[in-house]
Amino acid sequence: MKKTRTGYEQGEPTAMDQALPEAFAAKQWGAQWRLFRLVRKWPKVVGAEVAQLTYPAFFRQETLCIFVQNSASMHHLQYVKVEMIACINQHLEGQPITDIRWQLHVPAPPPPVPPPPSLRKIDPQREQSFCQMTEAIANQECREALQRMWCAFAVHMDF
């Protein structure tokens, strides 16, 4: 049986009240919207403690896949699965779920650390000039600390 194409799919002008539901259905945004609504009220649905360990990931037909932080939590949640399904179905709009599948959620790796800024070579004449200026400091420890600080600053700055 051949599927008839709608005006929207054929590229013909279509009223918005017809085009939006057609586009919504064609892109299967209904399932994503259903998941979004569940995610927003997840702590209320499963409780704050369980919500800290879990996150609804996606629907696969009548099964809700849930990310879990660690295998110990996954094992524990298996024992309360029936109660969770009942709680979720009370808050879920549309088709109820019949099962839950747990997936261990490995956190994303941390963003790469940017390389340190390139260090400039200190002009020996400027360094010598600064050392001469600091010779008037009587305390040798303070004088050397100031010179080290100037060198640390000088490699980052363009004089």
Side-chain angles (χ1 to χ4, degrees):
M1 188 164 126
K2 186 176 180 181
K3 181 184 171 200
T4 58
R5 293 178 60 168
T6 64
Y8 167 75
E9 292 172 326
Q10 293 175 2
E12 297 173 4
T14 307
M16 289 293 283
D17 65 339
Q18 291 175 337
L20 288 177
E22 290 174 15
F24 198 78
K27 299 289 186 182
Q28 297 178 345
W29 289 335
Q32 293 302 321
W33 187 247
R34 185 175 174 221
L35 181 64
F36 171 75
R37 286 191 306 252
L38 181 61
V39 167
R40 288 191 65 189
K41 51 187 170 181
W42 188 244
K44 182 179 176 185
V45 173
V46 297
E49 204 171 295
V50 173
Q52 288 181 345
L53 303 171
T54 62
Y55 192 82
F58 55 90
F59 289 104
R60 185 170 287 147
Q61 282 125 22
E62 294 147 5
T63 301
L64 174 62
C65 294
I66 299 176
F67 287 139
V68 182
Q69 282 187 0
N70 55 54
S71 57
S73 298
M74 190 183 299
H75 182 74
H76 169 73
L77 291 169
Q78 189 64 30
Y79 292 107
V80 294
K81 185 176 183 177
V82 175
E83 292 87 4
M84 279 187 74
I85 291 172
C87 289
I88 291 167
N89 282 334
Q90 286 177 352
H91 291 87
L92 198 59
E93 297 174 18
Q95 181 182 8
I97 62 168
T98 57
D99 196 13
I100 293 176
R101 298 293 167 134
W102 315 109
Q103 282 194 343
L104 195 58
H105 184 258
V106 179
V113 177
S118 59
L119 303 178
R120 293 174 173 74
K121 189 165 178 91
I122 299 174
D123 179 13
Q125 289 179 339
R126 287 187 179 270
E127 184 177 10
Q128 184 180 8
S129 173
F130 184 79
C131 289
Q132 287 173 351
M133 285 191 296
T134 59
E135 284 180 1
I137 299 173
N139 185 317
Q140 182 180 352
E141 190 177 331
C142 288
R143 182 175 54 247
E144 290 172 354
L146 182 61
Q147 289 171 352
R148 283 194 307 273
M149 184 175 73
W150 182 88
C151 288
F153 178 75
V155 296
H156 294 287
M157 301 306 291
D158 188 21
F159 291 107

